[in-house]
Amino acid sequence: MSTSKTLLGVLLSALLPASAALAAGNDTLIYCSEASPESFNPQIASSGPSFVASSQVLYNRLINFDPVKNTPVPSLATQWEISPDGKTYTFTLREGVKFTSNKFFKPTRDFNADDVIFSVMRQKDLNHPYHKVSGGQYEYFHDVGLDSLIKEVKKIDDRHVQFVLNEPNAAFLADWGMDFASILSAEYADAMLKKGTPENVDNWPIGTGPYALQQYKVDSLIRYVANPNYWDGEVPTKHLIFSITPNVQTRLAKLQTNECQIIPAPAPVQFPVIKNNKDLTLHSVDALNVGYLAFNTEKKPFDQLLVRQALNYAVDKKAIVNAVFMGSGTVAKSPLPPKMLGYDANLKDYDYDPEKAKALLKQAGLEKGFTTDIWSMPVQRPYNPNSRRIAEMIQSDWAKVGVKANIVSYEWGEYLSGMRKGEHSTALFGWMSDNGDPDNFADVLLSCDSVKSGSNVARWCDKGYDDLVKKALLISDPAKRAALYTQAQEIFYQQAPWVTLANGKTFYATRSNVTGYSVSLMGSDFSKAKLN
């Protein structure tokens, strides 16, 4: 546990007396969260549980996504115009949107263009007074390349803000629906800076979302209260509680006893239990994601193409999906999920062929095999519901071709940090779409620039691949973009920086009397959730 997280929990829990046991009435909804948030500012967070606890409860973004079509729709921006050259975006901002209040600050004005500019420039400008507050790590902003893409952002008037880009970018609009693009209050930031407590902006947030933060007890619970002035309509449930419950078995037990009414990511082995309980409902959502094992191509012997190809042939992916996903996933062969623009349904895959794997290892001079590590994720995700089991099955498969793999794991924050630094040899990881655009996978996970930022876990840099995905980002025509991604996927297949494993559905479970709660590309929406 980090010192900053501990201090944050002490600070927030001290502001309100902790009440006794959690109890759910019709005005209280309890969600069993997977983990404590890294931060309540989604600009500096990087994990799903952090985004659910911050951006998806406390904030809004300029755009939202249609839950069916996954296309941009208005949110804090009601409309936008794009210049003919694709380099200037002008957003019209929603009127009458109010920020929440807290013990430290009460807003005196509604949301306007100043808040958008503050939220952008804090992340972009190295000399901004808030840039280094709370550590100053804006991973997503940098991963999607906005630091170099945005030439300037300027206020036209209170209701209009304009972005000027250095080059056209087909994914730019979708980026403003991502969690890191949440809009913070510039007025609050100015006030806290003058008081000498700028960290309050991150630790005790003020947003425009459906709820306001009320209390946080680290590794225990988070309390929220409904925003009485929410611009998108009345929030039907006054109190929202996150009961922080990392263990998947404990989450289900709490759901069964009504200590929680919603749980994320139940394990596939729990599905029959949920389905057979009349008081519970299992929900599934088609998701855009991919789970994979990445080779660290900067480390021997994974710098050798023959080794990467051999170990692809050595993994029985169908057996893994059948055993671990139990109907909740399908075998993946591409870095792009099916149903995404540019996905190549005709792309070849590596068959399970241990003899071919042995022959390639012999050709690489490793006939006697070698020893390596498999990093196993400590958390469950739709693209990897049981990382330890997947690691064990890969370990067994590789042993059959002479490769001894030791399975290691770390606390989730340490795991992410270690991968970004390239400390792993091989690592299980995955990605869920943030904005529905193929660039969010093809570039963020595999480009040369993403080696530097750390999101390219394979640390693989191929100029031919890189040129194709960069070119695709400059083109707005969907068919032309798709053709470039098809070529890029062929290079990916040939170069084998990953063992692609699975595309999984997103599952969650609720008490049967919960209505209005939904999960989509944007994550969790509590704004209409209620108990009947």
Side-chain angles (χ1 to χ4, degrees):
M1 182 190 303
S2 69
T3 302
S4 60
K5 190 171 82 169
T6 304
L7 291 174
L8 172 61
V10 171
L11 168 66
L12 298 187
S13 63
L15 290 173
L16 281 174
S19 68
L22 302 181
N26 282 343
D27 68 343
T28 302
L29 188 67
I30 303 175
Y31 171 85
C32 271
S33 175
E34 298 172 88
S36 292
E38 306 157 273
S39 170
F40 284 106
N41 180 352
Q43 297 174 333
I44 56 179
S46 61
S47 70
S50 298
F51 293 142
V52 177
S54 60
S55 53
Q56 295 165 29
V57 176
L58 302 170
Y59 295 103
N60 299 115
R61 288 143 291 285
L62 290 178
I63 67 161
N64 207 332
F65 290 103
D66 182 290
V68 177
K69 298 178 181 178
N70 289 333
T71 52
V73 293
S75 183
L76 290 181
T78 57
Q79 62 185 45
W80 44 87
E81 295 179 2
I82 307 172
S83 63
D85 66 0
K87 294 167 68 173
T88 302
Y89 287 69
T90 304
F91 291 90
T92 300
L93 305 181
R94 189 176 298 276
E95 294 189 56
V97 176
K98 301 187 182 303
F99 283 95
T100 54
S101 302
N102 63 24
K103 178 178 179 177
F104 303 112
F105 182 74
K106 184 175 182 179
T108 65
R109 63 164 177 80
D110 291 348
F111 155 74
N112 67 28
D114 292 330
D115 304 307
V116 178
I117 291 173
F118 167 75
S119 301
V120 175
M121 295 309 293
R122 171 178 177 170
Q123 299 178 81
K124 176 177 170 58
D125 183 2
L126 300 179
N127 296 315
H128 191 281
Y130 266 85
H131 186 77
K132 295 181 180 179
V133 172
S134 301
Q137 298 295 316
Y138 307 98
E139 294 177 356
Y140 273 79
F141 189 84
H142 294 294
D143 285 349
V144 299
L146 292 179
D147 50 337
S148 57
L149 177 64
I150 297 172
K151 183 177 182 180
E152 64 176 324
V153 54
K154 51 189 178 182
K155 176 180 178 179
I156 306 302
D157 54 42
D158 279 354
R159 300 267 66 82
H160 297 87
V161 64
Q162 189 172 84
F163 290 81
V164 180
L165 311 184
N166 285 309
E167 61 184 11
N169 185 291
F172 180 76
L173 182 60
D175 288 341
W176 291 101
M178 293 171 66
D179 293 281
F180 78 86
S182 296
I183 303 301
L184 281 61
S185 167
E187 186 188 22
Y188 180 36
D190 288 343
M192 293 303 99
L193 195 64
K194 289 175 183 175
K195 286 186 177 181
T197 56
E199 65 280 356
N200 283 348
V201 171
D202 303 329
N203 294 344
W204 193 260
I206 280 178
T208 61
Y211 284 91
L213 181 64
Q214 190 176 30
Q215 182 187 26
Y216 175 40
K217 296 183 70 176
V218 68
D219 295 334
S220 176
L221 63 83
I222 312 170
R223 292 182 184 273
Y224 304 91
V225 63
N227 178 357
N229 302 307
Y230 188 43
W231 61 269
D232 198 26
E234 181 182 357
V235 180
T237 303
K238 184 175 181 181
H239 299 287
L240 175 64
I241 297 173
F242 278 29
S243 177
I244 299 166
T245 313
N247 184 275
V248 67
Q249 285 84 15
T250 307
R251 287 201 297 274
L252 178 57
K254 287 185 175 183
L255 185 71
Q256 291 170 315
T257 57
N258 201 26
E259 293 176 73
C260 292
Q261 290 79 54
I262 304 172
I263 63 169
V269 295
Q270 297 175 331
F271 293 173
V273 175
I274 298 169
K275 290 177 180 178
N276 291 330
N277 187 327
K278 65 179 178 57
D279 295 323
L280 308 182
T281 303
L282 181 67
H283 308 262
S284 67
V285 180
D286 286 331
L288 297 174
N289 63 45
V290 62
Y292 58 90
L293 179 134
F295 301 113
N296 186 339
T297 60
E298 292 182 344
K299 286 189 175 181
K300 294 183 180 300
F302 305 111
D303 58 341
Q304 293 189 62
L305 173 60
L306 292 173
V307 173
R308 302 196 301 269
Q309 291 176 333
L311 294 188
N312 263 277
Y313 282 115
V315 175
D316 189 347
K317 298 197 293 188
K318 289 182 180 178
I320 289 173
V321 170
N322 288 338
V324 177
F325 287 79
M326 302 171 66
S328 68
T330 56
V331 172
K333 61 181 179 179
S334 166
L336 299 184
K339 300 183 180 179
M340 176 168 272
L341 174 71
Y343 174 76
D344 183 4
N346 298 316
L347 184 69
K348 289 176 285 187
D349 197 6
Y350 288 88
D351 298 325
Y352 177 51
D353 192 339
E355 294 307 313
K356 191 163 189 176
K358 290 178 184 177
L360 289 171
L361 287 173
K362 182 178 180 180
Q363 194 177 338
L366 293 168
E367 184 176 6
K368 295 182 179 179
F370 59 94
T371 300
T372 189
D373 290 336
I374 297 175
W375 281 30
S376 173
M377 295 165 52
V379 295
Q380 297 85 34
R381 292 290 182 268
Y383 54 74
N384 190 330
N386 189 334
S387 185
R388 182 74 190 189
R389 181 66 180 129
I390 291 177
E392 288 171 349
M393 293 184 75
I394 294 173
Q395 180 189 50
S396 176
D397 285 343
W398 284 358
K400 295 171 186 174
V401 299
V403 175
K404 180 182 179 182
N406 301 307
I407 300 172
V408 296
S409 191
Y410 304 93
E411 181 272 329
W412 188 224
E414 188 178 356
Y415 191 93
L416 293 171
S417 176
M419 282 194 308
R420 285 185 171 273
K421 295 174 185 175
E423 295 172 357
H424 59 292
S425 296
T426 75
L428 287 165
F429 200 45
W431 198 255
M432 301 182 67
S433 178
D434 295 303
N435 61 12
D437 193 275
D439 182 71
N440 190 231
F441 287 78
D443 186 287
V444 171
L445 302 183
L446 289 162
S447 72
C448 297
D449 287 342
S450 295
V451 175
K452 301 168 192 172
S453 69
S455 60
N456 181 343
V457 180
R459 308 187 73 80
W460 172 71
C461 177
D462 182 281
K463 187 178 186 305
Y465 175 94
D466 218 51
D467 288 347
L468 288 166
V469 297
K470 291 290 191 282
K471 186 176 179 181
L473 199 54
L474 299 174
I475 298 172
S476 58
D477 183 273
K480 291 180 180 178
R481 290 190 78 199
L484 292 169
Y485 287 123
T486 295
Q487 295 177 55
Q489 287 165 87
E490 181 61 32
I491 294 175
F492 169 87
Y493 163 77
Q494 295 290 345
Q495 291 295 311
W498 299 352
V499 177
T500 54
L501 293 171
N503 306 113
K505 286 187 175 183
T506 294
F507 287 85
Y508 63 97
T510 66
R511 299 289 298 183
S512 298
N513 61 338
V514 173
T515 61
Y517 173 76
S518 63
V519 174
S520 67
L521 178 65
M522 285 303 298
S524 297
D525 183 359
F526 295 89
S527 65
K528 304 295 188 292
K530 63 179 180 178
L531 293 172
N532 295 315

